Amino acid sequence: MLKLTRGLLAIALLALLLAGCAYQPGIVERVTDDDPATLLEQAQQQEPAQAARTRLDAADILARQGQRTQALEIARQIDRSQLAGDPLTRWALLLADLGESEGDPEAVIQATQGLDGLALNRSQTLALREQRGLALLEQGKPFAAARALLLVQAESDDEALNDPIWRALGGVEQRRLAQLGELQGALTRGWVELMETVRSGDGNIDRLFLRLDEWRSRNQRHPAARRLPADLIALRNLRGQEVQHIAVLLPESGPLSRIATAIGEGIRTQHRLSDDASVRLSFIDSTSGNLESLYREAENRGAQVVIGPLSKDRVSELERLNQVPLPTLALNYGKGATNAAEGLFQYGLSAEGEAMQVARRAWDDGHRRAALLVPDNGWGQRVGEAFWDEWRAQGGKVTKAVRYNPGASATESTRRTIAESRPDLLFMLALPDYARQVPPTLDYYGANKLPIYATSHLFSGQLNPRLDSDLNDVMFLDIPWQIPDAAAGGEDALPFASSYRALQKETDPNLFRLSAMGVDAFELARRLPQFQLVPSSELFGATGTLRATPDGRIQRTLPWARFVDGVPQPVLSPGAFGDERTP
């Protein structure tokens, strides 16, 4: 659990003490010697308002006795609607403190909702807002976290908040980042400009710090100008270590050659159009030869970094090593539960990863009962299980899972997903022709208001309003390059826009996502030393916002869109926990 970055909580608690309250470490209006078990028994016999206050006293005593886990459980179960005035303030401060110390960000978020209704002084308000922002960040709500933390920094001018603010802003997609700069004042606009400066960099550390110096000269009084976020400071150590030579291991024949050609075209295009002409590429045919010989060839050519291999089996072979011979960006994910090889990163367009992101989004939107509609094949099984597992981990229930025949009509399979069950959302994995049949079928069976969430596979990438009008109101996620208006506000705002335009004209639409993957593979490879040195590094790329997990697997965060009149339009980020409210 992230901790308060400064002494705000201590100041808040001191204020309570001076007001006649006792805190050590619980937060109460008075110190009582009553036995908490006795108080909890009494609460069962009391009317609701008195019972809530009695349970609050019991939770505080337990906290002061060091039984903080039990205290947290009791405090979380207190009905805040039964508290008012000082008891409500005491409860919020206690629950936020317990949630932070016990690693329960949900409890912190619960405690800090509706702060305007609490009798708080300035120090207490800032402390709770900071705790809320850190909890939202830990819960994967970067937009809401950034807003909360920026409000605290605007009031306090505290440089210690720079690192969590930077982490939060790093998780905000580009379109929302621009919106954030419009919502708040000069402090926020400075942060947004700083993030855009870093995101638009090309991996050259010297050029990046020249641009950072320019930003600092324009924003001399900004907290980040006085002290850059730690992640940016760490990048100074990479000066002189920029990647100048990349070996690309792709098959020129065999079953993966068509995929490899599309990825390779993306790599070549981004290399040709990038600002740094000093980077060299060496393409090595990986069709034959073992991994040892391929790495030997890469080293003989002077490569510093490797892109590839593409085969899942070969990536699995690499991830069982202790260390790869050269820092490597594999173009697939291995079969192992974890990646054990030092220096190995894995990147691909994982449908399973999309399904997990859909599950988290649907949960944040308030849904709890999901029906699944997936193809009856290995792909459908893998992606369906990924959604199922993540959905259950969130606490959701699956009402029905239907596997359909992709070559048949969607009528019967769609009917079965809602028969004798009451889902409040439908997760759909389908290609465009099949997907377009599902909403009209739901309408026919009286389920026209059932929300549908889908992966990127339902959208061909080519605008076809006449056919896609059947998908109206369906929500889906996709790579920024496929939905430029929804993801970034237009083609000009896309990452690597020049490569986008070149590849869009030349590439088979069915392979366009793979070419985008090649663009990001080139940019990730240039940044592998940065990702190794600064684990929180990210790339705002053609295929999403890319970050590495602790074991080197690249995760993509994708923007969302909704079909309106058959055209993908932007949708807001999840509204859970105050994303659309003032923190």
Side-chain angles (χ1 to χ4, degrees):
M1 178 70 186
L2 294 168
K3 302 296 183 183
L4 280 175
T5 57
R6 58 197 177 92
L8 278 177
L9 183 58
I11 295 170
L13 299 178
L14 177 61
L16 282 173
L17 285 170
L18 295 175
C21 303
Y23 176 89
Q24 187 60 32
I27 305 169
V28 291
E29 190 175 37
R30 57 188 174 81
V31 178
T32 174
D33 295 326
D34 290 334
D35 176 54
T38 301
L39 290 174
L40 293 173
E41 290 178 5
Q42 291 174 359
Q44 294 179 359
Q45 310 300 321
Q46 295 171 338
E47 52 86 21
Q50 181 59 50
R53 293 192 295 271
T54 301
R55 291 189 178 99
L56 176 58
D57 287 339
D60 177 78
I61 294 170
L62 288 167
R64 287 188 285 110
Q65 292 175 347
Q67 300 180 59
R68 298 178 69 81
T69 301
Q70 186 179 355
L72 173 61
E73 182 179 354
I74 294 168
R76 288 204 66 169
Q77 294 175 357
I78 293 173
D79 182 359
R80 69 173 290 160
S81 68
Q82 298 297 326
L83 298 173
D86 186 64
L88 180 58
T89 301
R90 291 166 46 208
W91 170 81
L93 290 166
L94 174 63
L95 182 57
D97 174 57
L98 291 169
E100 182 182 48
S101 68
E102 300 306 297
D104 188 344
E106 288 277 9
V108 176
I109 293 167
Q110 177 187 352
T112 55
Q113 288 180 343
L115 295 182
D116 292 340
L118 300 180
L120 299 167
N121 61 35
R122 180 178 180 276
S123 296
Q124 293 165 347
T125 300
L126 291 177
L128 288 178
R129 288 196 188 283
E130 183 176 333
Q131 285 179 302
R132 180 176 180 81
L134 296 175
L136 287 165
L137 180 57
E138 191 159 337
Q139 284 294 89
K141 310 292 189 302
F143 184 80
R147 290 183 65 185
L149 294 171
L150 286 165
L151 284 173
V152 176
Q153 190 172 65
E155 287 286 323
S156 64
D157 197 36
D158 184 12
E159 297 173 17
L161 288 169
N162 287 1
D163 289 341
I165 287 173
W166 186 249
R167 281 187 54 195
L169 291 174
V172 178
E173 61 194 53
Q174 189 63 28
R175 186 184 186 94
R176 301 227 72 198
L177 189 68
Q179 292 173 349
L180 188 63
E182 297 169 359
L183 286 172
Q184 296 176 239
L187 173 76
T188 299
R189 288 194 294 273
W191 275 111
V192 169
E193 183 185 346
L194 179 61
M195 178 58 69
E196 290 175 340
T197 298
V198 174
R199 281 183 172 178
S200 62
D202 59 3
N204 185 296
I205 302 302
D206 285 332
R207 275 201 294 267
L208 172 62
F209 274 92
L210 285 175
R211 297 180 67 189
L212 290 178
D213 288 342
E214 293 172 0
W215 177 88
R216 295 175 83 172
S217 68
R218 295 193 304 271
N219 299 271
Q220 296 180 16
R221 303 178 67 178
H222 196 279
R226 301 195 302 267
R227 200 203 76 179
L228 282 173
D231 285 352
L232 294 182
I233 295 173
L235 293 180
R236 292 184 187 275
N237 295 327
L238 293 177
R239 279 181 160 167
Q241 301 180 40
E242 287 82 3
V243 173
Q244 300 295 326
H245 194 163
I246 301 170
V248 184
L249 311 182
L250 287 173
E252 295 180 3
S253 59
L256 296 177
S257 60
R258 188 165 179 259
I259 294 173
T261 298
I263 294 174
E265 187 60 27
I267 293 172
R268 288 185 170 93
T269 299
Q270 183 59 18
H271 173 248
R272 175 170 54 87
L273 297 176
S274 68
D275 294 334
D276 194 344
S278 64
V279 178
R280 291 179 55 201
L281 290 178
S282 293
F283 280 81
I284 301 173
D285 184 6
S286 64
T287 306
S288 59
N290 58 34
L291 286 170
E292 182 179 354
S293 65
L294 292 171
Y295 272 103
R296 189 182 308 117
E297 175 68 15
E299 289 176 325
N300 289 339
R301 296 196 188 190
Q304 301 162 273
V305 166
V306 166
I307 296 176
L310 180 58
S311 161
K312 181 177 283 287
D313 288 338
R314 284 193 161 182
V315 178
S316 300
E317 184 180 343
L318 283 178
E319 69 182 1
R320 290 192 293 269
L321 300 176
N322 292 325
Q323 183 176 3
V324 290
L326 291 171
T328 299
L329 178 72
L331 297 174
N332 209 327
Y333 298 97
K335 300 175 183 178
T338 59
N339 167 34
E342 182 181 348
L344 175 62
F345 292 82
Q346 301 176 22
Y347 164 58
L349 305 184
S350 166
E352 292 91 332
E354 290 186 23
M356 295 168 66
Q357 190 174 337
V358 171
R360 292 190 289 269
R361 168 74 197 230
W363 177 267
D364 286 344
D365 282 347
H367 302 298
R368 298 297 180 262
R369 295 168 57 84
L372 278 65
L373 185 61
V374 299
D376 189 11
N377 52 33
W379 178 57
Q381 180 177 350
R382 292 192 307 273
V383 178
E385 287 179 353
F387 177 90
W388 184 303
D389 291 344
E390 183 66 24
W391 185 247
R392 297 291 294 273
Q394 295 287 329
K397 180 179 180 181
V398 175
T399 61
K400 185 167 290 188
V402 174
R403 295 183 181 178
Y404 63 84
N405 177 359
S409 166
T411 302
E412 177 59 19
S413 58
T414 304
R415 184 194 65 81
R416 287 193 290 125
T417 60
I418 58 174
E420 301 176 1
S421 65
R422 294 187 177 181
D424 58 16
L425 81 112
L426 172 65
F427 168 65
M428 177 175 66
L429 175 68
L431 298 177
D433 287 345
Y434 194 94
R436 291 171 183 138
Q437 302 174 54
V438 173
T441 305
L442 289 174
D443 291 350
Y444 178 79
Y445 286 109
N448 59 306
K449 294 186 178 179
L450 181 66
I452 302 174
Y453 291 73
T455 61
S456 63
H457 305 87
L458 89 168
F459 181 47
S460 68
Q462 295 179 295
L463 294 181
N464 195 332
R466 184 179 64 82
L467 291 177
D468 287 338
S469 61
D470 284 335
L471 292 170
N472 281 348
D473 292 330
V474 174
M475 286 195 23
F476 70 102
L477 72 180
D478 207 338
I479 69 171
W481 273 22
Q482 288 283 64
I483 50 172
D485 291 331
E491 294 180 3
D492 291 340
L494 284 173
F496 318 125
S498 58
S499 292
Y500 166 82
R501 294 188 185 94
L503 289 165
Q504 189 186 43
K505 294 177 182 177
E506 303 169 2
T507 306
D508 180 342
N510 294 320
L511 300 175
F512 187 61
R513 287 185 178 91
L514 292 170
S515 294
M517 177 181 166
V519 168
D520 281 353
F522 175 76
E523 292 297 332
L524 283 168
R526 298 174 71 184
R527 291 166 171 79
L528 282 194
Q530 174 182 332
F531 275 71
Q532 288 178 298
L533 178 66
V534 184
S536 61
S537 295
E538 62 164 14
L539 171 67
F540 178 61
T543 62
T545 300
L546 310 180
R547 301 179 190 83
T549 62
D551 70 346
R553 288 175 173 166
I554 302 295
Q555 288 186 338
R556 298 182 300 140
T557 300
L558 302 181
W560 283 89
R562 183 197 306 271
F563 281 101
V564 178
D565 296 329
V567 177
Q569 298 293 336
V571 295
L572 296 176
S573 293
F577 306 128
D579 270 16
E580 301 308 322
R581 309 168 193 161
T582 300

